[in-house]
Amino acid sequence: PQHRISVLCAARAPAAVPVPPAVQVTRPERLSDDRLLLTLRVGAEHTALPWLLGWGRYAKVLEPRALRTRLAAEAQAVADQYESSPTLLDG
């Protein structure tokens, strides 16, 4: 794996989302406020996207910025599905 991702998980996060084989957690660190700081290693950043989405609001990507932006766009697209006009999935 060649890409590093930093993720901050909430102290009251639900049970851990199973880590897929493409994502390697290298340095979990419990912070003084009980949040968890994770350092991930992946071959390609996009491979971590489904896993990060599985954490929902309980995880925040700190870096890289491009992955933060992509994750935010994907989350917004999901939210839009529930606020917009009917889609092909509604039929």
Side-chain angles (χ1 to χ4, degrees):
Q2 33 188 285
H3 297 279
R4 186 176 74 86
I5 301 171
S6 293
V7 181
L8 185 61
C9 298
R12 296 183 347 175
V17 178
V19 181
V23 176
Q24 183 181 50
V25 179
T26 59
R27 287 188 354 200
E29 179 184 343
R30 185 66 63 183
L31 303 178
S32 61
D33 61 1
D34 213 27
R35 292 181 299 167
L36 185 62
L37 179 62
L38 300 176
T39 301
L40 313 176
R41 294 274 183 204
V42 293
E45 290 173 2
H46 73 274
T47 60
L49 195 60
W51 185 70
L52 292 166
L53 285 167
W55 282 94
R57 65 181 180 186
Y58 296 101
K60 180 178 181 179
V61 172
L62 301 177
E63 60 179 344
R65 181 177 287 274
L67 183 59
R68 279 177 65 127
T69 302
R70 186 170 181 186
L71 190 63
E74 189 66 26
Q76 186 61 56
V78 170
D80 289 347
Q81 283 189 161
Y82 295 97
E83 296 177 2
S84 63
S85 302
T87 68
L88 292 174
L89 296 175
D90 295 327

